[in-house]
Amino acid sequence: MRNWRQKRARFPRFKRKKHMDDNTARLTGSIRVFPRHVQLPRIGKVRTKEWTDKLLALLESNKARILSATISREADRWYVSLTCEVERPDPPQREGEPMGIDLGLSAFLVLSDGTRIEAPKPLAKSLRLLRRRSRQLFRKQRGSKNWQKASLRLARLHRRVQNIRRDFLHQVTTWLAKTKPVMVVEDLNVRGLARGPLSRPVADVGWGTFRRMLEYKAGWYGARVIVAPTHFPSTKRCSGCGWVAPRMPLSLRTFRCPWCGLEIDRDLNAALNLRQYGLAVLSGPTGSSPGSDACGDRLCGGTVGNSRSTSTRSLKQEAGTGRLFW
């Protein structure tokens, strides 16, 4: 109501208080699993499309326990998700060189070793068909048979876009967590970027989901994720000499350093800077305790005794120039 009174938003629509959506239900009680079936309370035995032999083996060996089942619906498909308590041994912590990961829109991610991975961008590819089916739904009488058919076609397309994006993110994060022992990513303000002019491309790549998946899969496979602060100048900083540019618009795809003459792709330059940040965190006096201060700097990322630090608060800038000194 406050935003409406101050002319910042529309009048609010009051909605009922519910714990879950209309297409979701949570069941507790006696839940049993069979090779191709799941027995749910008050519903009975339901055949599943996927095999449940792995979960059945864990249940029979008393290594897992089913807590609840959540039934959901997407378009014309029904899903059951089982919440289980599983005994999982802690994996050994792997050691190795950090890998800088720079997220972008032209390329989904660029690693510090030069590897580039493109995003499928399912929303951009299906946008024309989405608009067409949305217009078809708008022209139908609400509640009619044709309206229900058009609504189902639109929901199927939305589900396909979501599944393509989710499958891509699962494959990339699993590959990184299995092959890279230490990964350095930047703390991006995804919510703020989603409100700007690039809201649709940002939502299409799924940066927030990528980081969430990467963090919990890193715990599965004994990897480590180091998060650089939001204001760390990964893009504007020269990975060769440390010079920081005053600004770096998106139209400039090549980073050119006027001091050392380095010319490099801006995404690769950012990934190299993130790798240097990870090296500083690992080699610092508090490298074994993530989140604490390194080299006495609250932002972390520095090393004691090094001639160059990756901390942005420890830099001094000469008046009238863009050159930084340590």
Side-chain angles (χ1 to χ4, degrees):
M1 295 294 292
R2 182 184 304 173
N3 292 332
W4 172 71
R5 293 191 187 98
Q6 297 179 1
K7 308 296 182 182
R8 291 199 301 262
R10 297 180 180 179
F11 190 79
R13 291 192 310 152
F14 295 97
K15 297 172 281 294
R16 56 180 173 172
K17 294 182 179 179
K18 291 191 64 176
H19 177 65
M20 310 187 79
D21 298 333
D22 290 332
N23 61 338
T24 306
R26 182 171 178 267
L27 303 177
T28 58
S30 178
I31 302 173
R32 300 181 62 186
V33 177
F34 300 94
R36 285 296 295 268
H37 294 80
V38 175
Q39 186 173 347
L40 302 174
R42 299 186 298 275
I43 295 179
K45 214 171 183 181
V46 180
R47 181 176 173 83
T48 60
K49 187 175 181 61
E50 298 180 3
W51 287 91
T52 59
D53 50 352
K54 293 183 179 180
L55 178 58
L56 185 60
L58 292 175
L59 293 173
E60 292 177 350
S61 59
N62 296 326
K63 294 183 179 180
R65 184 168 64 94
I66 299 178
L67 303 179
S68 63
T70 303
I71 301 176
S72 59
R73 181 184 179 184
E74 293 182 4
D76 55 345
R77 293 184 183 177
W78 291 89
Y79 301 87
V80 56
S81 175
L82 300 178
T83 303
C84 303
E85 186 180 17
V86 183
E87 295 182 3
R88 178 189 291 267
D90 295 333
Q93 194 73 21
R94 293 183 292 161
E95 301 293 338
E97 292 289 329
M99 181 66 65
I101 303 176
D102 178 70
L103 301 177
L105 295 178
S106 58
F108 176 73
L109 61 84
V110 177
L111 304 182
S112 55
D113 60 358
T115 305
R116 299 176 65 93
I117 298 179
E118 304 293 336
K121 299 181 180 179
L123 180 59
K125 295 179 181 179
S126 305
L127 189 59
R128 186 175 181 181
L129 186 57
L130 278 170
R131 289 172 176 170
R132 184 190 307 167
R133 294 190 178 180
S134 298
R135 287 195 300 266
Q136 292 174 356
L137 177 63
F138 178 76
R139 291 166 182 168
K140 301 295 186 296
Q141 183 179 357
R142 187 175 184 85
S144 63
K145 292 290 185 179
N146 290 332
W147 180 87
Q148 295 177 3
K149 295 178 183 179
S151 177
L152 182 58
R153 286 195 297 267
L154 181 61
R156 285 174 178 171
L157 186 57
H158 278 291
R159 182 185 62 197
R160 174 177 171 79
V161 170
Q162 178 183 347
N163 289 342
I164 293 175
R165 182 186 303 116
R166 187 183 301 170
D167 178 71
F168 167 74
L169 294 176
H170 272 297
Q171 292 188 24
V172 172
T173 52
T174 302
W175 172 71
L176 288 173
K178 285 184 176 181
T179 58
K180 313 301 179 185
V182 182
M183 295 161 286
V184 187
V185 296
E186 192 174 3
D187 187 14
L188 298 174
N189 184 15
V190 181
R191 181 174 297 180
L193 293 173
R195 297 173 182 172
L198 299 176
S199 58
R200 183 181 295 160
V202 170
D204 197 8
V205 293
W207 287 338
T209 307
F210 169 81
R211 178 176 167 183
R212 178 180 61 84
M213 290 181 178
L214 188 65
E215 287 179 345
Y216 75 74
K217 289 182 182 182
W220 288 357
Y221 301 107
R224 179 180 175 184
V225 177
I226 300 176
V227 181
T230 306
H231 46 271
F232 178 71
S234 60
T235 304
K236 299 188 297 182
R237 182 174 182 172
C238 177
S239 57
C241 66
W243 175 79
V244 178
R247 58 189 299 270
M248 189 74 177
L250 289 175
S251 58
L252 296 178
R253 305 309 306 173
T254 302
F255 182 88
R256 295 180 175 87
C257 180
W259 293 100
C260 65
L262 177 66
E263 291 190 8
I264 190 175
D265 180 74
R266 63 175 292 160
D267 297 333
L268 180 58
N269 179 70
L272 291 174
N273 285 325
L274 291 174
R275 180 181 181 275
Q276 294 175 4
Y277 181 89
L279 287 172
V281 172
L282 294 178
S283 60
T286 57
S288 60
S289 57
S292 57
D293 298 349
C295 75
D297 211 353
R298 185 177 61 86
L299 296 180
C300 192
T303 57
V304 176
N306 267 0
S307 60
R308 187 173 72 186
S309 169
T310 56
S311 174
T312 58
R313 296 186 61 193
S314 304
L315 306 180
K316 299 179 181 179
Q317 186 169 1
E318 185 180 7
T321 67
R323 190 172 184 179
L324 298 178
F325 295 88
W326 290 268

